[in-house]
Amino acid sequence: MTRQISFWYDQLDPAPARRPALEGSREADVCIVGGGYTGLWTAYSLLAADPSLEVVILEAEVTGFGASGRNGGWVEGKLAGDRGHWAALGGHAGALAMERAIQRAVDEIGQVTEKEGIDCAFRKGGTLIVAQTPLQLARIEAEVEADRLWGLTAADSVVLDATAAAARVNVDGVLGARYSPHCARVQPAALAVGLGAAVERAGATIYEGTRVTAVEPGVARTEVAGRGAGEVRARFIVRATEAYTGSIAGQDRVMIPLTSCMIATEVLSGETWANIGWAEAETMLDGARKYVYIQRTGDGRIAIGGRGIPYRYGSRTDAETPPPAEVVRALRERLIALFPVLSDVTVAGAWRGVLGAPRQWAPAVGLDKKTGIAWGGGYVGEGVAATQLAGKTLADLITGRDTELTRLPWVGPFTGSWPPEPLRYAAVRGVNAMMDAADRREWRTDETSLVGRVAHLISGR
Ligand SMILES: Cc1cc2nc3c(=O)[nH]c(=O)nc-3n(C[C@H](O)[C@H](O)[C@H](O)COP(=O)(O)OP(=O)(O)OC[C@H]3O[C@@H](n4cnc5c(N)ncnc54)[C@H](O)[C@@H]3O)c2cc1C
């Protein structure tokens, strides 16, 4: 039985047919664990580089079941992790190369969706962070100034004044905004499912309902409900399981799952859109510490997400039920605070998903040449574009090519691991509570909260 994934997934017409599970065992050149964007882009890039490769994807549920079928649809030319992290790994030049590579990924995703006929409402309208308080505006201005000092230009980010910001999107009481062109929006489940079809056309085999229990050099051990154990033997095995990485033996301290919730409105009337503006369909963040992320969808709704559900003891990832009513209410209220014209708006769908956060709070990709085991992930909430770059980089590593991509600073192991329970639970919940307290104080006083700064330092964000 397919469990609830998201409003995005339910919108797919026709609904994707479920693929067969692996029967018994088999061999392949490359075995990819996880049928989300990371696994799919890796397969796509591998087969583009060498169509003769036998590539197998093992997916525990269905393609796009994880964050890839549930996210906010921001194809963002930006990675999680602060610039200090990237500079420590690759110096200033390496960190800048990383930034330019992720910006290019946005356009490359657009090109692939066009080439493969993936109808996922891809539209590159850029991205806005809107300020509704003087403190939020000051933070945005500081961010753009930091961009300049770092070596980025006005072609990468600018501060818009209140009039220019409102001319783009008519946010209530907007004082200004940061605009960057490096972002597109998509219907995320349509991208995942379309990519699945594209990698099959290129020659990959996807097995669904096939859970990997252990990854060892040369073998991925599988479990299929009602059929028992099997395995895929392959020279290379790619771990592309993001927030669910703890489901593989021995991997439970690599990544913690963090839950983010989303709602989508009904289709808004032409009159409402005339009031809101938003003609370019930029993706949008509000200026709070625990921000909300928003997109104007291809079919004329607004999708907004952000309110997390607290971390669950033991890194549990059961995310198949709708979010609690109070979370849906909070998201709707935040939307109305941005756009009062939506005071009567109906929520057409609500869902949640889990994203993966490694201790270093920044993604990594790599291949252990001795064991043939490769990995890609740790995108925190910024993985839609990053997975494409990860897939291309993994393909270069696996096919043994020394390229500009394999020299980027994110190539290597994750540094650090999460503490075991119950420490992990206390730490993650503690930082979450600090962020909430900081936001409450900053909305009230319009002054930077010390607690918020400390929470950012502890979390590494
Ligand atoms: C609500 C939400 C909103 C987000 N919004 C954005 C956004 O707007 N922009 C952005 O850039 N990023 C966003 N993200 C993050 C982004 O969606 C992810 O970084 C990205 O989708 C990760 O892709 P992935 O393939 O690595 O992981 P996933 O999509 O999670 O895929 C992992 C797959 O592995 C499968 N799997 C897990 N364990 C096993 C196993 N043992 N055996 C076999 N298969 C297994 C899972 O079923 C799943 O299909 C968001 C995430 C969430 C949850």
Side-chain angles (χ1 to χ4, degrees):
M1 189 192 70
T2 305
R3 291 179 282 169
Q4 196 215 337
I5 298 178
S6 65
F7 181 77
W8 303 123
Y9 199 88
D10 292 343
Q11 274 193 317
L12 300 178
D13 184 19
R18 199 183 169 106
R19 297 177 174 90
L22 174 71
E23 290 207 31
S25 299
R26 66 163 286 176
E27 296 195 346
D29 296 314
V30 183
C31 171
I32 297 167
V33 185
Y37 298 143
T38 301
L40 296 167
W41 281 118
T42 305
Y44 187 83
S45 307
L46 276 168
L47 288 162
D50 182 354
S52 73
L53 284 174
E54 246 189 302
V55 178
V56 158
I57 298 177
L58 303 175
E59 165 55 51
E61 304 279 347
V62 293
T63 303
F65 174 84
S68 301
R70 305 169 189 250
N71 63 73
W74 285 48
V75 186
E76 203 185 357
K78 183 172 169 292
L79 290 174
D82 63 30
R83 287 174 174 151
H85 170 80
W86 299 115
L89 290 173
H92 181 256
L96 213 48
M98 197 72 254
E99 258 181 85
R100 293 302 184 200
I102 188 67
Q103 290 171 358
R104 278 196 301 275
V106 180
D107 291 319
E108 290 178 10
I109 290 172
Q111 285 151 15
V112 173
T113 58
E114 198 172 329
K115 177 171 171 230
E116 299 293 343
I118 300 173
D119 183 8
C120 62
F122 179 95
R123 178 158 178 195
K124 191 179 176 197
T127 189
L128 293 164
I129 306 176
V130 292
Q132 289 176 295
T133 68
L135 178 64
Q136 292 175 1
L137 184 60
R139 269 209 290 258
I140 284 167
E141 287 167 348
E143 209 178 296
V144 173
E145 199 179 321
D147 286 350
R148 292 293 174 281
L149 295 173
W150 183 249
L152 300 187
T153 70
D156 298 299
S157 63
V158 286
V159 177
L160 305 180
D161 65 18
T163 313
R168 282 184 176 266
V169 190
N170 187 17
V171 168
D172 192 44
V174 67
L175 299 180
R178 173 186 184 274
Y179 171 77
S180 162
H182 303 303
C183 196
R185 72 99 214 270
V186 285
Q187 204 282 28
L191 175 60
V193 169
L195 263 183
V199 300
E200 276 182 332
R201 284 195 298 275
T205 306
I206 303 176
Y207 295 103
E208 297 184 336
T210 305
R211 183 170 299 281
V212 170
T213 53
V215 170
E216 295 156 21
V219 59
R221 302 200 187 282
T222 60
E223 183 73 40
V224 175
R227 282 198 216 146
E231 62 183 36
V232 175
R233 287 176 299 279
R235 166 76 185 90
F236 297 102
I237 302 187
V238 181
R239 216 180 53 217
T241 45
E242 195 60 344
Y244 309 88
T245 299
S247 65
I248 296 173
Q251 300 297 319
D252 65 317
R253 289 174 60 187
V254 178
M255 210 85 78
I256 53 165
L258 298 174
T259 301
S260 192
C261 299
M262 293 200 70
I263 59 170
T265 67
E266 62 193 321
V267 174
L268 305 180
S269 68
E271 199 186 326
T272 306
W273 280 120
N275 179 296
I276 293 175
W278 214 345
E280 299 302 320
E282 302 92 337
T283 59
M284 197 170 89
L285 281 189
D286 70 0
R289 281 190 190 276
K290 280 187 81 179
Y291 49 76
V292 284
Y293 48 92
I294 316 171
Q295 72 147 284
R296 174 179 180 162
T297 68
D299 63 350
R301 305 167 192 274
I302 296 179
I304 171 170
R307 293 284 148 168
I309 291 177
Y311 168 76
R312 311 202 46 198
Y313 194 88
S315 293
R316 283 176 55 192
T317 56
D318 37 348
E320 287 76 46
T321 52
E326 68 269 20
V327 173
V328 175
R329 204 176 313 120
L331 284 170
R332 186 176 175 278
E333 277 167 13
R334 188 70 202 109
L335 184 60
I336 294 168
L338 290 160
F339 303 114
V341 67
L342 297 180
S343 59
D344 292 328
V345 78
T346 301
V347 173
W351 66 99
R352 55 169 128 173
V354 280
L355 45 100
R359 186 65 195 92
Q360 64 180 28
W361 211 269
V365 297
L367 165 69
D368 179 341
K369 284 189 183 145
K370 278 207 295 290
T371 61
I373 295 174
W375 57 89
Y379 315 104
V380 195
E382 291 163 300
V384 178
T387 49
Q388 189 266 0
L389 183 58
K392 280 181 69 178
T393 310
L394 284 165
D396 285 354
L397 290 168
I398 289 169
T399 54
R401 285 178 297 174
D402 177 15
T403 64
E404 195 189 328
L405 298 186
T406 60
R407 278 173 263 134
L408 288 174
W410 73 339
V411 176
F414 288 106
T415 50
S417 54
W418 290 101
E421 298 290 17
L423 216 58
R424 192 185 328 167
Y425 180 82
V428 182
R429 285 248 178 174
V431 170
N432 202 40
M434 286 165 84
M435 293 275 199
D436 277 336
D439 262 338
R440 277 196 301 273
R441 186 178 152 74
E442 288 179 357
W443 280 113
R444 210 177 51 240
T445 64
D446 201 36
E447 283 170 14
T448 299
S449 150
L450 182 62
V451 172
R453 277 201 193 141
V454 172
H456 277 253
L457 278 177
I458 297 172
S459 68
R461 294 169 65 196

